Amino acid sequence: AMEPYCNLSFSSCLLPESVISATELELLTQNVVLAHQETCQFRQENLHVLRWETFSTPEMQSFHHKPMDQMWERCVCHVTDAIQYIVEFAKRLSGFMDLNPNDQIVLLKAGAMELLLLRMSRAFNCYNSTVYFEGKYAQLELFHSLGCIDLISAMFDFCHILGVLNLSEHEIAFYSAMTLLDPCRPWLQDKQKVETLHRKLQVAFRHLLRRTHREGIISKLPHKERLSAICQLHLEKLNVFQQMYPGIAWERFPPLYKELFISEPDNS
Ligand SMILES: O=C(O)[C@H]1CC[C@H](C(=O)N2CC[C@](c3ccc(C(F)(C(F)(F)F)C(F)(F)F)cc3)(S(=O)(=O)c3ccc(F)cc3)C2)CC1
C-alpha cells in the first residue's frame, strides 16, 4: 500500500507512472525551470562572481551600530522585494493559478519564507559562511543589531547544508515548486488538486535526478520540518521586535510583509 501521502519526504514512494505522460512531464519540467529562472532577483552567475567580495571591518562596524529598528526595516524591505519575485514564481507554475484564490494565499503564506530560504542558499558562500547583502557578501555578525542572531545562524546553517549539496538551478527550481505546492498545508480547501500537482512534480523531479545521476541528493535534502522550524523562529522574532517597537511594524513595514507574517490584531 502507498505510504501515507503527507509524509512528504522526497523519498520516492511508488507512484503509478500513469500520473503523468512523457510529454506532460517534459512540459512540466520546462515550466518549473523557466518559472524559476525568470523570477529570481539575481542571476546565479552574478551572485557567483561577487562571492569573495566581503564587507570591510569599518563597513561591518557601521552595520553593527545601526539601531535595531532601522536594521529590521531595511531587511524587511529586502525580504519583501525578494518575496515579490517568489509570488511571481508561484503565478507562473502551471496549475497554481487554477487553484482557488484561498488556496493560492494559503500556499504562499505558508511557503513564501521557505522559498526565500531556498533562494537565499543561492546567495550563500559556504566556504567562508557569507551571504549576499546589499552588494557584497556579509558574515553573520553584520546582522547582530537585528537582535535575533539565533534566527540568522539557523538561516546560515540551512544555507550551508544546501550549499554543500551544490544544487543546480534546476534542482532548486523543483525543490521550490514542491515546497510551495505542499498538499499538507493546513486550511487547504482543495487538497486533492494540490496533491495531484505535487505528485506530478515528484515524478518530473525524479526523472531529472535520474537523467543527471543526482538521485543521491534526495536523502540529503533538509526535511520540511527544518524549513518550517526556521520560519516559526522568524515569526517569533518578528513578535519580539513588535513588542520592543510597537507601531514600527504597522507604520514602516511593507503591506505584503504584513499580509504574510503579521496576523491582524484581534479586536476582541
Ligand atoms: O531571488 C534571488 O536571487 C535571491 C532572493 C533572496 C535573497 C536573500 O538572500 N535575501 C533577501 C532578503 C534577505 C533577508 C533574509 C531574512 C530576513 C529576516 F528574516 C531577518 F531580517 F530577520 F533576518 C526578516 F524577514 F525577518 F526580516 C530579512 C531579509 S537579506 O539579504 O536582507 C538578509 C538579511 C539577513 C541575513 F542574515 C541574510 C540576508 C535574504 C538573495 C537573492
Side-chain angles (χ1 to χ4, degrees):
M2 285 235 263
E3 304 161 49
Y5 190 74
C6 278
N7 70 350
L8 271 187
S9 62
F10 287 96
S11 69
S12 51
C13 53
L14 290 175
L15 280 176
E17 291 304 316
S18 61
V19 161
I20 185 170
S21 72
T23 327
E24 200 186 347
L25 198 75
E26 195 41 49
L27 289 174
L28 178 61
T29 302
Q30 274 169 26
N31 166 262
V32 171
V33 165
L34 270 180
H36 174 75
Q37 265 165 11
E38 289 163 358
T39 62
C40 274
Q41 207 172 350
F42 306 110
R43 299 181 60 79
Q44 177 84 29
E45 44 274 20
N46 299 348
L47 290 166
H48 204 69
V49 295
L50 284 171
R51 75 191 185 291
W52 300 107
E53 289 294 315
T54 51
F55 284 104
S56 65
T57 313
E59 286 172 315
M60 291 276 287
Q61 296 302 334
S62 76
F63 281 110
H64 233 260
H65 299 141
K66 281 202 186 324
M68 188 175 178
D69 59 324
Q70 271 183 39
M71 197 61 180
W72 262 89
E73 188 181 346
R74 222 160 142 148
C75 292
V76 161
C77 284
H78 295 322
V79 83
T80 308
D81 291 346
I83 290 175
Q84 255 145 345
Y85 286 86
I86 288 168
V87 170
E88 193 51 39
F89 169 70
K91 290 167 71 174
R92 294 177 190 221
L93 276 184
S94 57
F96 183 82
M97 292 308 278
D98 303 327
L99 299 172
N100 79 54
N102 165 75
D103 287 356
Q104 292 176 21
I105 299 292
V106 160
L107 293 178
L108 277 169
K109 264 176 92 85
M113 200 60 180
E114 295 188 357
L115 267 68
L116 187 279
L117 286 166
L118 301 184
R119 288 188 168 203
M120 190 167 156
S121 69
R122 296 165 70 253
F124 189 78
N125 180 343
C126 61
Y127 298 99
N128 60 3
S129 293
T130 57
V131 69
Y132 179 80
F133 179 74
E134 296 190 3
K136 288 185 183 174
Y137 275 70
Q139 283 135 331
L140 185 72
E141 44 275 2
L142 182 137
F143 303 99
H144 205 266
S145 56
L146 286 168
C148 54
I149 212 66
D150 48 349
L151 167 65
I152 307 300
S153 41
M155 293 189 321
F156 270 55
D157 292 347
F158 181 82
C159 289
H160 209 285
I161 293 170
L162 286 193
V164 163
L165 292 177
N166 202 9
L167 298 179
S168 68
E169 286 296 278
H170 283 44
E171 289 159 352
I172 294 175
F174 269 100
Y175 193 8
S176 303
M178 293 174 74
T179 299
L180 180 76
L181 290 164
D182 176 352
C184 299
R185 299 295 189 194
W187 313 115
L188 276 177
Q189 287 167 355
D190 194 346
K191 181 180 164 122
Q192 288 295 334
K193 218 165 175 191
V194 181
E195 217 160 69
T196 307
L197 288 173
H198 193 272
R199 277 186 209 282
K200 290 178 175 177
L201 286 166
Q202 208 167 25
V203 174
F205 191 29
R206 274 218 327 274
H207 274 248
L208 171 78
L209 295 178
R210 211 178 295 138
R211 243 188 0 255
T212 52
H213 311 295
R214 289 272 291 176
E215 288 111 323
I217 66 162
I218 288 267
S219 59
K220 298 191 187 97
L221 288 175
H223 289 288
K224 54 183 282 188
E225 291 71 26
R226 191 175 174 100
L227 265 171
S228 54
I230 300 172
C231 295
Q232 202 44 50
L233 194 53
H234 161 239
L235 293 176
E236 284 163 25
K237 298 300 167 185
L238 169 58
N239 221 315
V240 167
F241 175 80
Q242 284 187 274
Q243 312 292 327
M244 293 174 75
Y245 296 91
I248 295 265
W250 271 110
E251 285 149 29
R252 305 266 194 74
F253 288 2
L256 176 60
Y257 182 86
K258 289 192 287 194
E259 177 130 355
L260 288 171
F261 306 118
I262 301 183
S263 38
E264 304 293 321
D266 48 336
N267 302 325
S268 54

Coordinates of all heavy atoms in Angstrom, one line a residue, residues 142-215:
L142 N 27.5 40.7 11.0 CA 27.0 42.0 10.4 C 25.5 42.2 10.8 O 25.1 43.4 10.9 CB 27.1 42.0 8.9 CG 26.7 43.3 8.1 CD1 27.6 43.6 7.0 CD2 25.2 43.2 7.6
F143 N 24.8 41.1 11.1 CA 23.4 41.2 11.4 C 23.1 41.3 12.8 O 21.9 41.1 13.3 CB 22.6 40.1 10.7 CG 22.9 40.0 9.2 CD1 23.8 39.2 8.7 CD2 22.2 40.9 8.3 CE1 24.1 39.1 7.3 CE2 22.4 40.9 7.0 CZ 23.4 40.0 6.5
H144 N 24.1 41.5 13.6 CA 24.0 41.5 15.1 C 22.9 42.4 15.6 O 22.1 42.1 16.5 CB 25.3 41.8 15.7 CG 25.5 41.2 17.1 ND1 25.1 41.9 18.2 CD2 25.8 40.0 17.5 CE1 25.3 41.2 19.3 NE2 25.7 40.0 18.9
S145 N 22.9 43.6 15.0 CA 21.9 44.6 15.5 C 20.5 44.3 15.3 O 19.6 44.9 15.9 CB 22.2 46.0 14.8 OG 22.1 45.8 13.4
L146 N 20.2 43.2 14.6 CA 18.8 42.7 14.4 C 18.3 42.2 15.7 O 17.1 42.1 16.0 CB 18.7 41.7 13.3 CG 18.8 42.2 11.9 CD1 18.9 41.0 10.9 CD2 17.5 43.0 11.5
G147 N 19.2 41.7 16.6 CA 18.8 41.2 17.9 C 18.2 39.8 17.8 O 17.4 39.4 18.6
C148 N 18.5 39.1 16.7 CA 17.9 37.7 16.5 C 19.0 36.8 15.9 O 18.7 36.1 14.9 CB 16.6 37.7 15.7 SG 16.8 38.5 14.1
I149 N 20.2 36.8 16.5 CA 21.3 36.0 16.0 C 21.0 34.5 15.9 O 21.5 33.8 15.0 CB 22.6 36.4 16.7 CG1 23.8 36.3 15.8 CG2 22.8 35.5 18.0 CD1 23.8 37.4 14.7
D150 N 20.0 34.0 16.7 CA 19.7 32.6 16.6 C 19.0 32.3 15.3 O 19.2 31.3 14.6 CB 18.9 32.2 17.8 CG 17.7 33.1 18.2 OD1 17.7 34.2 17.6 OD2 16.9 32.8 19.0
L151 N 18.1 33.3 14.9 CA 17.4 33.1 13.6 C 18.4 33.2 12.5 O 18.4 32.3 11.6 CB 16.3 34.2 13.5 CG 15.7 34.3 12.1 CD1 14.9 33.1 11.7 CD2 14.8 35.6 12.0
I152 N 19.3 34.2 12.6 CA 20.2 34.4 11.5 C 21.1 33.2 11.3 O 21.4 32.7 10.2 CB 21.1 35.7 11.7 CG1 20.1 36.9 11.9 CG2 22.0 35.9 10.5 CD1 19.2 37.2 10.8
S153 N 21.6 32.7 12.5 CA 22.5 31.5 12.4 C 21.8 30.2 11.9 O 22.3 29.4 11.2 CB 23.3 31.2 13.7 OG 22.5 31.4 14.8
A154 N 20.5 30.1 12.3 CA 19.7 29.0 11.8 C 19.6 29.1 10.2 O 19.7 28.1 9.5 CB 18.3 29.0 12.4
M155 N 19.4 30.3 9.7 CA 19.3 30.5 8.3 C 20.7 30.2 7.6 O 20.7 29.5 6.6 CB 18.9 32.0 8.0 CG 17.5 32.3 8.4 SD 16.9 33.9 7.8 CE 18.3 34.9 8.0
F156 N 21.8 30.7 8.3 CA 23.1 30.4 7.7 C 23.4 28.9 7.7 O 23.9 28.4 6.7 CB 24.2 31.1 8.6 CG 24.5 32.5 8.1 CD1 23.5 33.5 8.0 CD2 25.8 32.9 7.9 CE1 23.8 34.8 7.6 CE2 26.2 34.2 7.5 CZ 25.2 35.1 7.3
D157 N 23.0 28.2 8.8 CA 23.2 26.7 8.8 C 22.4 26.1 7.7 O 22.9 25.2 7.0 CB 22.7 26.2 10.2 CG 23.6 26.6 11.3 OD1 24.7 27.2 11.1 OD2 23.2 26.5 12.5
F158 N 21.2 26.5 7.5 CA 20.4 25.9 6.5 C 21.0 26.1 5.1 O 21.2 25.2 4.3 CB 19.0 26.5 6.5 CG 18.1 25.9 5.5 CD1 17.4 24.7 5.7 CD2 17.9 26.5 4.2 CE1 16.6 24.1 4.8 CE2 17.1 25.9 3.3 CZ 16.4 24.7 3.5
C159 N 21.5 27.3 4.9 CA 22.1 27.7 3.6 C 23.4 26.9 3.4 O 23.7 26.5 2.3 CB 22.4 29.2 3.5 SG 21.0 30.2 3.3
H160 N 24.1 26.6 4.5 CA 25.3 25.8 4.5 C 25.0 24.4 4.0 O 25.7 23.9 3.1 CB 25.9 25.8 5.9 CG 27.4 25.6 5.8 ND1 28.0 24.4 5.5 CD2 28.4 26.5 6.0 CE1 29.4 24.6 5.5 NE2 29.6 25.9 5.8
I161 N 24.0 23.8 4.6 CA 23.6 22.4 4.2 C 23.3 22.3 2.7 O 23.8 21.5 2.0 CB 22.3 22.0 5.0 CG1 22.7 21.8 6.5 CG2 21.8 20.6 4.5 CD1 21.5 21.6 7.4
L162 N 22.5 23.3 2.2 CA 22.2 23.3 0.8 C 23.4 23.6 0.0 O 23.6 23.0 -1.1 CB 21.1 24.3 0.5 CG 19.7 24.0 0.9 CD1 18.7 24.9 0.3 CD2 19.3 22.5 0.5
G163 N 24.3 24.5 0.5 CA 25.5 24.9 -0.3 C 26.4 23.7 -0.5 O 26.9 23.5 -1.6
V164 N 26.5 22.9 0.5 CA 27.4 21.7 0.4 C 26.8 20.7 -0.6 O 27.6 20.1 -1.3 CB 27.4 21.0 1.8 CG1 27.9 19.6 1.7 CG2 28.3 21.8 2.8
L165 N 25.5 20.7 -0.8 CA 24.9 19.8 -1.9 C 25.1 20.4 -3.3 O 24.9 19.7 -4.2 CB 23.4 19.7 -1.6 CG 23.0 18.9 -0.4 CD1 21.4 18.9 -0.2 CD2 23.5 17.5 -0.4
N166 N 25.5 21.7 -3.3 CA 25.8 22.3 -4.6 C 24.7 22.1 -5.6 O 24.9 21.6 -6.7 CB 27.1 21.7 -5.2 CG 27.8 22.6 -6.2 OD1 27.3 23.7 -6.3 ND2 28.7 22.1 -6.9
L167 N 23.5 22.4 -5.2 CA 22.3 22.2 -6.0 C 22.4 23.0 -7.3 O 22.8 24.2 -7.3 CB 21.0 22.6 -5.2 CG 20.7 21.8 -4.0 CD1 19.5 22.3 -3.3 CD2 20.6 20.3 -4.3
S168 N 21.9 22.4 -8.4 CA 21.8 23.2 -9.7 C 20.5 24.0 -9.6 O 19.7 23.8 -8.8 CB 21.6 22.2 -10.8 OG 20.4 21.5 -10.7
E169 N 20.4 25.0 -10.5 CA 19.3 25.8 -10.6 C 18.0 25.0 -10.9 O 16.9 25.3 -10.3 CB 19.4 26.9 -11.7 CG 20.4 28.0 -11.4 CD 19.9 28.9 -10.2 OE1 19.1 29.8 -10.4 OE2 20.3 28.6 -9.1
H170 N 18.2 23.9 -11.7 CA 17.0 23.0 -12.0 C 16.6 22.4 -10.7 O 15.4 22.3 -10.4 CB 17.5 21.9 -13.0 CG 17.5 22.4 -14.4 ND1 18.1 23.6 -14.8 CD2 17.1 21.8 -15.6 CE1 18.0 23.7 -16.1 NE2 17.5 22.7 -16.6
E171 N 17.5 21.9 -9.9 CA 17.2 21.2 -8.6 C 16.5 22.2 -7.6 O 15.5 21.9 -7.0 CB 18.4 20.6 -8.0 CG 18.9 19.4 -8.8 CD 20.4 19.0 -8.6 OE1 21.1 19.8 -7.9 OE2 20.8 18.0 -9.0
I172 N 17.0 23.4 -7.6 CA 16.4 24.4 -6.7 C 15.0 24.8 -7.2 O 14.1 24.9 -6.4 CB 17.3 25.7 -6.6 CG1 18.6 25.4 -5.9 CG2 16.6 26.8 -5.8 CD1 19.6 26.5 -5.8
A173 N 14.8 24.8 -8.5 CA 13.5 25.1 -9.1 C 12.5 24.1 -8.6 O 11.4 24.4 -8.2 CB 13.6 25.2 -10.6
F174 N 12.9 22.8 -8.8 CA 11.9 21.7 -8.4 C 11.7 21.7 -6.9 O 10.6 21.5 -6.4 CB 12.4 20.3 -8.9 CG 11.9 20.0 -10.2 CD1 12.7 20.2 -11.4 CD2 10.6 19.5 -10.4 CE1 12.2 19.9 -12.6 CE2 10.1 19.2 -11.7 CZ 10.9 19.4 -12.8
Y175 N 12.8 21.9 -6.1 CA 12.7 21.9 -4.6 C 11.7 23.0 -4.2 O 10.8 22.8 -3.4 CB 14.1 22.1 -4.1 CG 14.2 21.8 -2.6 CD1 13.3 21.2 -1.8 CD2 15.4 22.2 -2.0 CE1 13.4 21.0 -0.4 CE2 15.7 21.9 -0.6 CZ 14.7 21.4 0.1 OH 14.9 21.2 1.5
S176 N 11.8 24.1 -4.9 CA 11.0 25.3 -4.6 C 9.5 25.0 -4.9 O 8.6 25.2 -4.1 CB 11.4 26.5 -5.3 OG 12.8 26.8 -5.0
A177 N 9.3 24.4 -6.1 CA 7.9 24.2 -6.6 C 7.2 23.2 -5.7 O 6.1 23.3 -5.3 CB 8.0 23.7 -8.0
M178 N 8.0 22.1 -5.3 CA 7.4 21.1 -4.4 C 7.2 21.6 -3.0 O 6.2 21.2 -2.4 CB 8.3 19.8 -4.4 CG 8.4 19.2 -5.8 SD 9.6 17.8 -5.8 CE 8.7 16.6 -4.9
T179 N 8.0 22.5 -2.6 CA 7.8 23.1 -1.2 C 6.6 24.0 -1.3 O 5.8 24.0 -0.3 CB 9.1 23.9 -0.8 OG1 10.2 23.0 -0.8 CG2 8.9 24.6 0.5
L180 N 6.4 24.7 -2.3 CA 5.2 25.6 -2.4 C 4.0 24.8 -2.5 O 3.0 25.1 -1.8 CB 5.4 26.6 -3.7 CG 4.2 27.5 -3.9 CD1 4.3 28.7 -2.9 CD2 4.2 28.0 -5.3
L181 N 4.0 23.8 -3.5 CA 2.7 23.1 -3.7 C 2.7 21.9 -2.8 O 2.7 20.7 -3.2 CB 2.7 22.7 -5.2 CG 2.4 23.8 -6.1 CD1 2.8 23.5 -7.6 CD2 1.0 24.3 -6.1
D182 N 2.6 22.2 -1.5 CA 2.6 21.1 -0.5 C 1.2 20.9 0.0 O 0.5 21.7 0.6 CB 3.4 21.6 0.7 CG 3.4 20.7 1.9 OD1 2.6 19.7 1.8 OD2 4.2 20.9 2.8
P183 N 0.6 19.7 -0.4 CA -0.8 19.4 -0.1 C -1.1 19.2 1.4 O -2.2 19.1 1.8 CB -1.0 18.1 -0.8 CG 0.3 17.4 -1.0 CD 1.3 18.5 -1.0
C184 N 0.0 19.2 2.3 CA -0.2 19.1 3.7 C -0.4 20.4 4.4 O -0.6 20.4 5.6 CB 1.0 18.3 4.3 SG 1.1 16.7 3.6
R185 N -0.4 21.5 3.7 CA -0.5 22.8 4.4 C -1.9 22.9 5.0 O -2.9 22.5 4.4 CB -0.4 24.0 3.4 CG 0.9 24.1 2.7 CD 2.1 24.4 3.5 NE 3.3 24.7 2.8 CZ 4.5 24.8 3.3 NH1 4.7 24.5 4.5 NH2 5.6 25.1 2.5
P186 N -2.0 23.3 6.3 CA -3.3 23.5 6.9 C -4.2 24.5 6.2 O -3.7 25.4 5.5 CB -3.0 23.9 8.3 CG -1.5 24.4 8.3 CD -0.9 23.8 7.1
W187 N -5.5 24.3 6.3 CA -6.5 25.2 5.8 C -6.7 25.1 4.3 O -7.4 25.9 3.7 CB -6.3 26.7 6.1 CG -5.9 26.9 7.6 CD1 -4.7 27.4 8.1 CD2 -6.7 26.6 8.7 NE1 -4.7 27.4 9.4 CE2 -6.0 27.0 9.9 CE3 -8.0 26.2 8.9 CZ2 -6.5 26.8 11.2 CZ3 -8.5 26.0 10.2 CH2 -7.8 26.4 11.3
L188 N -6.0 24.1 3.6 CA -6.3 24.0 2.2 C -7.7 23.5 1.9 O -8.2 22.6 2.6 CB -5.3 23.0 1.5 CG -3.9 23.5 1.1 CD1 -3.1 22.3 0.6 CD2 -4.0 24.6 0.1
Q189 N -8.4 24.1 1.0 CA -9.8 23.6 0.7 C -9.8 22.5 -0.3 O -10.4 21.5 -0.1 CB -10.6 24.8 0.2 CG -11.0 25.8 1.2 CD -11.5 27.1 0.7 OE1 -11.6 27.3 -0.5 NE2 -12.0 28.0 1.6
D190 N -9.0 22.7 -1.4 CA -8.9 21.6 -2.4 C -7.6 20.9 -2.4 O -6.7 21.0 -3.3 CB -9.1 22.3 -3.8 CG -9.4 21.2 -4.9 OD1 -9.2 20.0 -4.6 OD2 -9.9 21.5 -6.0
K191 N -7.4 20.1 -1.3 CA -6.2 19.4 -1.1 C -5.8 18.4 -2.2 O -4.7 18.3 -2.6 CB -6.3 18.6 0.2 CG -5.2 17.8 0.7 CD -5.5 17.1 2.1 CE -4.5 16.0 2.4 NZ -3.8 16.3 3.7
Q192 N -6.9 17.8 -2.8 CA -6.7 16.8 -3.9 C -5.9 17.5 -5.0 O -5.0 16.9 -5.6 CB -8.0 16.3 -4.4 CG -8.7 15.4 -3.4 CD -8.0 14.1 -3.2 OE1 -7.2 13.7 -4.1 NE2 -8.1 13.5 -2.0
K193 N -6.4 18.7 -5.4 CA -5.8 19.3 -6.5 C -4.3 19.6 -6.3 O -3.5 19.4 -7.2 CB -6.6 20.7 -6.8 CG -6.8 21.0 -8.2 CD -7.8 22.1 -8.4 CE -7.9 22.4 -9.9 NZ -8.7 23.7 -10.1
V194 N -4.0 20.0 -5.1 CA -2.6 20.3 -4.8 C -1.8 19.0 -4.8 O -0.6 18.9 -5.2 CB -2.4 21.1 -3.4 CG1 -1.0 21.4 -3.1 CG2 -3.3 22.4 -3.5
E195 N -2.4 18.0 -4.3 CA -1.8 16.6 -4.2 C -1.4 16.2 -5.6 O -0.3 15.7 -5.8 CB -2.8 15.6 -3.6 CG -2.1 14.6 -2.7 CD -3.2 14.0 -1.7 OE1 -4.1 13.3 -2.2 OE2 -3.1 14.3 -0.5
T196 N -2.4 16.3 -6.6 CA -2.1 15.9 -7.9 C -0.9 16.7 -8.5 O 0.0 16.1 -9.1 CB -3.4 16.1 -8.8 OG1 -4.5 15.5 -8.2 CG2 -3.2 15.6 -10.2
L197 N -0.9 18.0 -8.3 CA 0.2 18.8 -8.8 C 1.5 18.3 -8.2 O 2.6 18.2 -8.9 CB 0.0 20.3 -8.5 CG -1.1 21.0 -9.3 CD1 -1.4 22.4 -8.8 CD2 -0.8 21.0 -10.8
H198 N 1.5 18.1 -6.9 CA 2.7 17.7 -6.2 C 3.2 16.3 -6.7 O 4.4 16.2 -6.9 CB 2.4 17.6 -4.7 CG 3.7 17.5 -3.8 ND1 4.3 16.3 -3.5 CD2 4.5 18.4 -3.3 CE1 5.4 16.5 -2.8 NE2 5.5 17.8 -2.7
R199 N 2.3 15.4 -6.9 CA 2.7 14.1 -7.5 C 3.4 14.2 -8.8 O 4.4 13.6 -9.0 CB 1.4 13.2 -7.7 CG 0.9 12.5 -6.5 CD -0.3 11.6 -6.9 NE -1.2 11.4 -5.8 CZ -1.0 10.6 -4.7 NH1 0.1 9.9 -4.7 NH2 -1.9 10.5 -3.8
K200 N 2.8 15.1 -9.6 CA 3.4 15.3 -11.0 C 4.8 15.8 -10.8 O 5.8 15.4 -11.5 CB 2.6 16.1 -11.9 CG 1.3 15.5 -12.3 CD 0.4 16.3 -13.1 CE -0.9 15.6 -13.6 NZ -1.8 16.4 -14.3
L201 N 5.0 16.8 -9.9 CA 6.3 17.4 -9.7 C 7.3 16.4 -9.2 O 8.5 16.3 -9.6 CB 6.2 18.6 -8.7 CG 5.5 19.8 -9.2 CD1 5.2 20.8 -8.1 CD2 6.5 20.6 -10.2
Q202 N 6.8 15.5 -8.3 CA 7.7 14.5 -7.7 C 8.2 13.5 -8.9 O 9.4 13.2 -8.9 CB 6.8 13.6 -6.8 CG 7.6 13.0 -5.6 CD 6.7 12.5 -4.5 OE1 5.5 12.2 -4.8 NE2 7.2 12.4 -3.3
V203 N 7.3 13.1 -9.8 CA 7.7 12.3 -10.9 C 8.7 13.0 -11.8 O 9.8 12.5 -12.1 CB 6.5 11.8 -11.7 CG1 6.9 11.0 -12.9 CG2 5.6 11.0 -10.8
A204 N 8.4 14.2 -12.1 CA 9.3 15.0 -13.0 C 10.7 15.3 -12.3 O 11.7 15.1 -13.0 CB 8.6 16.3 -13.3
F205 N 10.7 15.5 -11.0 CA 11.9 15.8 -10.3 C 12.8 14.5 -10.3 O 14.0 14.5 -10.6 CB 11.6 16.2 -8.9 CG 12.8 16.7 -8.1 CD1 13.9 17.4 -8.7 CD2 12.8 16.6 -6.7 CE1 15.0 17.9 -8.0 CE2 13.9 17.1 -6.0 CZ 15.0 17.7 -6.6
R206 N 12.1 13.4 -10.1 CA 12.8 12.1 -10.0 C 13.4 11.8 -11.4 O 14.6 11.3 -11.5 CB 11.9 11.0 -9.6 CG 11.8 10.8 -8.1 CD 11.7 9.3 -7.7 NE 11.0 8.5 -8.7 CZ 9.6 8.4 -8.7 NH1 8.9 9.0 -7.8 NH2 9.0 7.7 -9.7
H207 N 12.7 12.1 -12.5 CA 13.2 11.9 -13.8 C 14.4 12.7 -14.1 O 15.5 12.3 -14.6 CB 12.1 12.2 -14.9 CG 11.3 11.0 -15.2 ND1 11.2 10.4 -16.4 CD2 10.3 10.4 -14.4 CE1 10.4 9.4 -16.3 NE2 9.8 9.4 -15.1
L208 N 14.4 14.0 -13.6 CA 15.5 14.9 -13.8 C 16.7 14.3 -13.0 O 17.8 14.3 -13.6 CB 15.2 16.3 -13.2 CG 16.3 17.3 -13.1 CD1 16.7 17.8 -14.5 CD2 16.1 18.4 -12.2
L209 N 16.5 13.9 -11.8 CA 17.6 13.4 -11.0 C 18.2 12.1 -11.6 O 19.4 11.9 -11.6 CB 17.1 13.2 -9.5 CG 16.7 14.5 -8.8 CD1 16.2 14.1 -7.4 CD2 17.8 15.5 -8.7
R210 N 17.3 11.3 -12.1 CA 17.8 10.0 -12.7 C 18.7 10.4 -13.9 O 19.8 9.9 -14.1 CB 16.6 9.2 -13.1 CG 16.9 7.7 -13.0 CD 15.7 6.8 -13.4 NE 14.6 7.0 -12.5 CZ 13.3 7.1 -12.8 NH1 13.0 7.1 -14.1 NH2 12.4 7.3 -11.9
R211 N 18.2 11.3 -14.8 CA 18.9 11.7 -16.0 C 20.2 12.3 -15.7 O 21.2 12.1 -16.4 CB 18.0 12.7 -16.7 CG 17.5 12.3 -18.1 CD 16.8 13.3 -19.0 NE 16.7 14.7 -18.5 CZ 15.5 15.2 -18.0 NH1 14.5 14.4 -18.0 NH2 15.5 16.4 -17.6
T212 N 20.3 13.0 -14.6 CA 21.6 13.7 -14.3 C 22.4 13.0 -13.2 O 23.3 13.5 -12.7 CB 21.2 15.1 -13.7 OG1 20.3 15.0 -12.6 CG2 20.6 16.0 -14.8
H213 N 22.0 11.7 -12.9 CA 22.7 10.9 -11.9 C 22.9 11.6 -10.6 O 23.9 11.6 -10.0 CB 24.1 10.5 -12.5 CG 24.0 9.9 -13.9 ND1 23.3 8.8 -14.2 CD2 24.4 10.4 -15.1 CE1 23.4 8.5 -15.5 NE2 24.0 9.6 -16.0
R214 N 21.8 12.3 -10.2 CA 21.8 13.0 -8.9 C 20.8 12.5 -7.9 O 20.4 13.2 -7.0 CB 21.5 14.5 -9.2 CG 22.6 15.2 -9.9 CD 23.7 15.8 -9.0 NE 23.1 16.9 -8.2 CZ 23.8 17.5 -7.2 NH1 25.0 17.1 -6.9 NH2 23.3 18.6 -6.6
E215 N 20.4 11.2 -8.1 CA 19.4 10.6 -7.1 C 19.9 10.7 -5.7 O 19.1 10.9 -4.8 CB 19.0 9.2 -7.4 CG 18.2 9.0 -8.6 CD 19.0 8.3 -9.7 OE1 20.2 8.6 -9.9 OE2 18.4 7.5 -10.5

